[in-house]
Amino acid sequence: MTTNAELWRRAQNALPGGVSSPVRAFGAVGGDPLFVHEAQGAHFVDADGRRFLDFVMSWGPLILGHAHPEIVDALHEATPHGLSYGAPHESELLLAEKVLAWYPGAERVRFTSSGTEATMSALRLARGATGRDRIVKFDGCYHGHSDGLLVAAGSGAKTFGTPSSAGVPGPIAELTSVLPLDDEGRLDEFFAQHGAETAAVIIEPVPANNGLLLQRPVFLERLRALTSEHGVLLIFDEVISGFRVARGGAAELYGIEPDLATFGKIIGGGLPVGAFAGRAELFEHLAPNGPVYQAGTLSGNPAAMTAGLRTLEILERDDAWSRLEELGSRLQEGVHGLQGFVRQGSIFWCDLGAGAADRYRDLFHGCLERGIYLAPSAFEVGFLSTSHTEAHVDELARVLTDVLA
Ligand SMILES: *Cc1c(COP(=O)(O)O)cnc(C)c1O
């Protein structure tokens, strides 16, 4: 087997930064990334043959753990019948029907190949349906890497955003307004001034991309009321929370129905899938029904649809949400007294406060030495899966408490 060090040396001369997605490069924690050799259940083995208990879970998709035998079997069964059709097929329809049955208010769903495409397309649909250009996002939420969403709040009292990545044109960023989370006052102010020109507000209802920033329900309720009042579409980005925090995602958890919702991660069962869903009337604007264009060569890919469908079926059959809540609350009890520990169901995060980056570097490497793999960044959350056991969760609680002590 080629060693980790050798693979990393070569990767840096082949892939920019050695990786296919930036956080994987370990820039925030230092040291060399681990090359995964194979993964099963709650564990993976790296190229040097070391075994780790994984709490990254591919950043969320693997709610059933790595290489779940029933998903692998479903793929074995499905793939000999074709890897891509570029035409409608049954498992795509079955997955669509399941999403619509589970997600509050959803009547139509369009599949994409990533979460980024889902949010980008949902926003285009919102603009096409309302005839308005401005969109709103919140500071601390992540919605993928499309131009209009890589935007930071403008300085001072400016309502219009500025690019948060090189390569994003200023005039595009200006069409995005960035507001603070959990602040009804700023919402009221914004809607009074700009409600009439705003197409959509996009939010992670359970913000889990800059730590875990749980919102007060009254904030989300106020957002729902204001958007309705001003004819602005509310988009819940449920790429992480969808099918995880509850069967019907955060919409079910909070009892708030958005106009559009976006999905990814879990919906592909470990294969690349995204989706956006909402009321039928809105989807009358989407091609081929209407003038808002959106398409994808591999959208509705049969292997990905099979993996996603099987995942949702297993979640339901095993009432995975109760099980994940059990494991999550056990973890929370296990780390009792650990300052800054936050959890929503199977999503957890340690808010290390001031000096978080330095403290996290030590925490990350301390855990790694003890065989536990956490996300290589202080602001990424951890995920439990149904492949984790009580013993795994107890081990995590013990190691976290030890290393932080
Ligand atoms: C991961 C994520 C995305 C982007 O999905 P990709 O599949 O990585 O493009 C969008 N929104 C949220 C909330 C996410 O967590």
Side-chain angles (χ1 to χ4, degrees):
M1 203 151 74
T2 314
T3 62
N4 214 82
E6 167 66 4
L7 290 169
W8 179 232
R9 190 188 61 73
R10 282 166 46 195
Q12 287 169 285
N13 290 318
L15 301 158
V19 292
S20 298
S21 195
V23 71
R24 299 179 195 174
F26 276 30
V29 291
D32 294 350
L34 307 181
F35 278 69
V36 177
H37 178 64
E38 64 172 338
Q40 245 117 45
H43 292 89
F44 71 87
V45 175
D46 79 355
D48 293 342
R50 292 171 300 181
R51 190 164 180 264
F52 295 92
L53 180 55
D54 185 10
F55 292 98
V56 180
M57 288 287 140
S58 190
W59 306 92
L62 304 179
I63 193 167
L64 302 176
H66 289 280
H68 189 282
E70 288 180 282
I71 296 174
V72 172
D73 282 351
L75 287 169
H76 274 145
E77 208 173 292
T79 50
H81 299 290
L83 291 176
S84 178
Y85 306 135
H89 60 98
E90 189 174 5
S91 54
E92 169 191 59
L93 173 62
L94 295 176
L95 181 56
E97 287 174 344
K98 199 143 212 79
V99 171
L100 301 184
W102 288 7
Y103 198 81
E107 296 170 334
R108 296 288 185 276
V109 57
R110 168 67 53 90
F111 291 112
T112 64
S113 297
S114 69
T116 293
E117 283 174 85
T119 56
M120 180 182 82
S121 305
L123 286 167
R124 182 177 301 150
L125 177 57
R127 283 170 160 158
T130 58
R132 303 172 179 180
D133 286 342
R134 178 154 303 285
I135 59 170
V136 176
K137 76 178 283 280
F138 292 90
D139 194 19
C141 288
Y142 176 72
H143 306 289
H145 64 280
S146 68
D147 283 351
L149 291 167
L150 289 183
V151 176
S155 55
K158 269 184 68 185
T159 323
F160 307 145
T162 57
S164 66
S165 162
V168 172
I172 295 205
E174 279 180 20
L175 290 174
T176 304
S177 295
V178 182
L179 297 180
L181 284 164
D182 231 8
D183 184 341
E184 295 95 295
R186 287 294 297 279
L187 280 185
D188 289 344
E189 228 173 84
F190 177 86
F191 275 89
Q193 282 186 343
H194 302 287
E197 71 193 61
T198 302
V201 176
I202 187 167
I203 186 170
E204 285 180 84
V206 178
N209 274 292
N210 190 23
L212 183 57
L213 307 174
L214 298 177
Q215 301 300 291
R216 288 169 301 116
V218 294
F219 171 74
L220 295 172
E221 283 155 13
R222 184 89 192 122
L223 182 58
R224 175 66 283 185
L226 284 167
T227 45
S228 299
E229 197 180 303
H230 289 83
V232 175
L233 299 178
L234 177 59
I235 305 175
F236 274 4
D237 181 355
E238 301 237 32
V239 168
I240 283 183
S241 52
F243 318 108
R244 180 178 286 276
V245 299
R247 200 179 80 148
E252 179 184 317
L253 185 73
Y254 289 108
I256 297 175
E257 227 173 78
D259 299 293
L260 290 167
T262 56
F263 305 105
K265 302 195 167 117
I266 287 171
I267 201 177
L271 273 64
V273 183
F276 57 109
R279 289 191 308 278
E281 153 254 316
L282 284 174
F283 280 78
E284 284 305 309
H285 297 272
L286 191 69
N289 296 340
V292 178
Y293 192 68
Q294 194 279 335
T297 302
L298 290 173
S299 296
N301 172 268
M305 296 290 105
T306 297
L309 179 62
R310 199 77 197 100
T311 297
L312 298 196
E313 286 168 353
I314 295 167
L315 287 173
E316 184 172 43
R317 181 195 67 198
D318 298 348
D319 187 16
W321 301 284
S322 306
R323 171 64 183 156
L324 289 169
E325 177 56 34
E326 252 171 49
L327 288 173
S329 63
R330 186 177 178 104
L331 175 61
Q332 194 154 13
E333 278 162 34
V335 297
H336 179 71
L338 192 63
Q339 217 192 337
F341 184 87
V342 201
R343 176 184 76 90
Q344 172 67 61
S346 53
I347 310 172
F348 65 90
W349 182 54
C350 279
D351 181 355
L352 296 180
D358 288 335
R359 291 188 67 203
Y360 191 78
R361 193 174 306 134
D362 295 340
L363 175 65
F364 173 82
H365 286 289
C367 288
L368 207 59
E369 275 162 30
R370 291 163 179 79
I372 286 187
Y373 187 68
L374 298 177
S377 158
F379 299 99
E380 299 285 353
V381 296
F383 292 103
L384 301 177
S385 73
T386 57
S387 68
H388 290 106
T389 63
E390 273 82 1
H392 294 150
V393 161
D394 293 350
E395 170 78 358
L396 172 62
R398 196 176 54 75
V399 170
L400 280 178
T401 320
D402 279 6
V403 174
L404 280 173

